[in-house]
Amino acid sequence: MLQCPITDEQWLLVGHLIQPQGRLFWGRPARDPRTILDAILWVVVNDERWHRLPCSFGPPQTAYMKWLQWRRSGVMDKILALLSDDEDSLGRRSTN
């Protein structure tokens, strides 16, 4: 089962997929991608609606927009696959 927030080891597996591609010199600073990913995973794991996202994750609109972008580009599928593979390998290690 996926967990939220993700561990440092899990972040090392998936962080390179969603790192910002450069710094914009106008507008608001970008949110931390790890916090956004934690927010998305919170919604997915808890099977909740976006508007119920706790304030500690930031605005639900930001998380939802990133979820849409990452889902449409296929990044979210890669992240979930990597995290579920990691969970499977951790489960196998603990049962041996």
Side-chain angles (χ1 to χ4, degrees):
M1 172 141 191
L2 291 174
Q3 65 183 28
C4 177
I6 62 173
T7 63
D8 290 337
E9 292 81 20
Q10 290 173 321
W11 177 246
L12 290 174
L13 287 174
V14 299
H16 68 280
L17 296 172
I18 57 176
Q19 288 297 329
Q21 300 301 325
R23 174 134 165 45
L24 297 176
F25 293 101
W26 62 90
R28 296 180 186 201
R31 292 231 175 234
D32 177 34
R34 185 171 179 170
T35 304
I36 294 172
L37 180 60
D38 284 337
I40 293 169
L41 291 177
W42 185 89
V43 170
V44 171
V45 167
N46 295 312
D47 195 28
E48 278 289 350
R49 302 216 178 248
W50 292 101
H51 71 276
R52 293 182 184 248
L53 189 67
C55 294
S56 61
F57 292 115
Q61 300 91 337
T62 302
Y64 178 70
M65 291 305 294
K66 284 297 182 182
W67 177 76
L68 283 177
Q69 287 176 353
W70 295 343
R71 191 187 68 173
R72 288 177 183 159
S73 67
V75 170
M76 203 67 225
D77 291 334
K78 292 176 188 176
I79 290 172
L80 293 175
L82 285 169
L83 292 178
S84 63
D85 288 347
D86 183 53
E87 292 289 323
D88 290 344
S89 66
L90 287 175
R92 288 189 201 121
R93 282 187 225 141
S94 64
T95 59
N96 288 336

